[in-house]
Amino acid sequence: MAEADGAEDRKPQSDEAHSAFTPPPGMEPEALDDDQPTSEFARPAGAEPVQPEPEGSAFATPATYSAAHSPPAYTPGQDFHVVQLKESPWQDRMRTMLRMPVDVRPVPDLVQRPSEAGPAVGRVLDLTLRIGELLLAGGEGAEDVEAAMFAVTRSYGLDRCEPTVTFTLLSITHQPSLVDHPVSANRTVRRRGTDYNRLSAVYRLVDDISAPEIDISLEEAYRRLAEIRRNRHPYPGWMLTCAAGLLAGAASTLVGGGVLVFIAAALGAILGDRLAWLCAGRGLPEFYQFVVAAMPPAAIGVALNMTAIDVKASAVITGGLFALLPGRALVAAVQDGLTGFYITASARLLEVMYLFIGIIMGVLVVLYVGLQFDASPRPEEVLEIQERPLIQIAASMVLVFTFAILLQQERSTVLIVTLNGGVAWVTFGALHYAGEIPPVPSTAIAAGLVGLFGQLFSRYRFASALPYTTAAIGPLLPGSATYYGLLLIAENRLNEGLGSLVNAAAIALAIAIGVNLGSETSRLFMRIPGAASAAKRRAAKRTRGF
């Protein structure tokens, strides 16, 4: 016993060997005075212990946690409900999981069989980035691009992947576990082009990769992706040029033009399209292509105004503007902003602003030259649109049909989007002309129907919603308000001209917001995973600062 005490005395006394509240050597602990207050949680002297509190009471003694008697499951603080994901399209499944925190996402279902050595992480990430590049370059929204990338990685068995999409850069990070080093890869999007046929093919590839009944190896996925890249456009170049002319002619008829105005607007748009192709072949930026493409319709309109022919010359310039206004980029920009991708939305809006300024410069140069030759345009003529319901409905459908061809859509989608655009114009005409509702709310309601029907069509065919919505908003674009503002600026009526341009911008934003709102409204008619917690959508909550 003495030896044990001696050994105990010989042990090194470290700082951790005693409590921080132990009195130092040589000091005696102070005695508590009788009047010193005790702890507020101490039982008063003479009080008898009460009966044990029932389980669950706030005053019950807490149970000590033990790993052997751990709770049956972890319930996160956000009160997530059990989500059934297998019954919904992959777009909704992946979007739902992207909006979940990483620690509550379900384990991925291994859809595609990996090799014996496990999934090839590098090749899967490279394939994912290439698919995301094609989608982003084709004009798809940032959230949908992330959902597609997430679907590819989870189908090949890669858990804990985080894709990130900006306007020109795609990146993805995969962390196998908490103790392994993460693997990151990125890809820069340098070239952009409007080809919805290619966009639909990429969506079919992602849908097949996500389908458990279809076996697609990495080699097969790479082969199909290479075929999509080499795929020729569905329409030849001469057909695209003719479609641009028909679009401008239909737009001029929509705002009150006759047969001569239709021919003049079509001729001006064809000349502008060819000049833009020439500039593109010389490597000029897209800004200058829009400047050059806006000049021929404006020149023909000014020339008709200087003749003695009694035609509505302003409709020629307005029709040319309909063929150039960047409605597709504007819708994508607003969609990214409303879903929380502010960097991508800002870049897209900046792109829209540059293209719009290019159109303004091209038209204003021609208008100033025409004023030097004593051209006398009447600004009020632009707003004098004669109501011709049947002719305007037919013109709007021709406009949407040709717009769909310019977007390189699949032939199977052209008829559907044409009908969608006809419904949009009928709705706008009924609200604005018959109901005398201002143009901005009328445009927003009509665009909302475009987004609603487009989203329903896309979910029915498991495809992107862009081919069913972008061309359908063509008749709603603010061509008349834009030209009216430019004409007033050319006559040095700056305040009125800027007011008309602001009105055109308001109509454009109403189109974009209406399309996005219609797309979100379509979720009321579809079975979306996690419907019980739809009110707690993570994409909306993450923008509120908590």
Side-chain angles (χ1 to χ4, degrees), residues 174-364:
H174 167 63
Q175 188 172 10
S177 65
L178 294 176
V179 298
D180 292 327
H181 295 291
V183 180
S184 299
N186 57 69
R187 193 171 183 87
T188 303
V189 180
R190 303 187 184 278
R191 298 183 59 185
R192 299 177 182 274
T194 304
D195 190 346
Y196 283 178
N197 183 43
R198 177 181 295 175
L199 189 70
S200 300
V202 176
Y203 259 78
R204 283 194 296 269
L205 174 59
V206 178
D207 186 46
D208 291 343
I209 292 175
S210 305
E213 62 273 7
I214 302 177
D215 184 17
I216 298 182
S217 62
L218 283 174
E219 290 74 14
E220 177 67 15
Y222 269 106
R223 186 189 63 80
R224 288 182 55 176
L225 194 63
E227 291 179 355
I228 293 173
R229 285 181 174 275
R230 293 193 302 264
N231 187 24
R232 298 178 61 87
H233 298 310
Y235 310 105
W238 64 267
M239 184 177 291
L240 298 179
T241 302
C242 293
L246 288 176
L247 190 154
S252 65
T253 305
L254 196 65
V255 295
V259 177
L260 182 59
V261 171
F262 180 95
I263 297 174
L267 179 61
I270 289 174
L271 291 176
D273 181 77
R274 287 294 90 192
L275 287 176
W277 275 100
L278 181 63
C279 294
R282 297 295 184 271
L284 290 179
E286 197 173 14
F287 173 82
Y288 299 106
Q289 298 176 28
F290 273 76
V291 173
V292 172
M295 287 183 174
I300 294 177
V302 172
L304 283 177
N305 185 267
M306 297 175 63
T307 62
I309 304 176
D310 186 16
V311 294
K312 190 176 181 179
S314 61
V316 177
I317 305 177
T318 303
L321 292 177
F322 268 89
L324 295 176
L325 291 177
R328 172 185 60 86
L330 179 64
V331 171
V334 175
Q335 179 184 357
D336 287 343
L338 294 177
T339 52
F341 294 84
Y342 298 117
I343 296 178
T344 307
S346 302
R348 290 186 191 269
L349 285 176
L350 189 62
E351 179 189 32
V352 171
M353 185 188 71
Y354 273 109
L355 299 182
F356 193 70
I357 292 176
I359 297 172
I360 291 175
M361 289 182 58
V363 175
L364 279 180

Side-chain angles (χ1 to χ4, degrees), residues 379-415:
E380 293 75 14
E381 181 188 50
V382 180
L383 303 180
E384 297 173 357
I385 300 178
Q386 183 181 1
E387 297 182 25
R388 301 175 295 176
L390 295 180
I391 296 178
Q392 287 177 321
I393 292 174
S396 66
M397 297 182 71
V398 172
L399 190 155
V400 175
F401 179 82
T402 52
F403 198 1
I405 293 177
L406 287 176
L407 293 174
Q408 302 281 2
Q409 293 190 196
E410 291 181 307
R411 293 180 173 88
S412 59
T413 64
V414 172
L415 179 59

Side-chain angles (χ1 to χ4, degrees), residues 29-49:
E30 297 181 1
L32 294 177
D33 298 334
D34 294 338
D35 57 349
Q36 184 174 348
T38 59
S39 172
E40 57 184 307
F41 298 101
R43 183 182 299 128
E48 297 296 332

Side-chain angles (χ1 to χ4, degrees), residues 44-65:
E48 297 296 332
V50 296
Q51 297 295 327
E53 294 289 342
E55 184 179 358
S57 172
F59 301 97
T61 305
T64 305
Y65 177 81

Side-chain angles (χ1 to χ4, degrees), residues 83 85 97 100-109 150 154 159:
V83 180
L85 299 173
M97 282 187 282
M100 290 181 181
V102 180
D103 58 338
V104 298
R105 288 175 183 169
V107 178
D109 297 327
F150 204 59
R154 291 181 68 88
D159 194 11

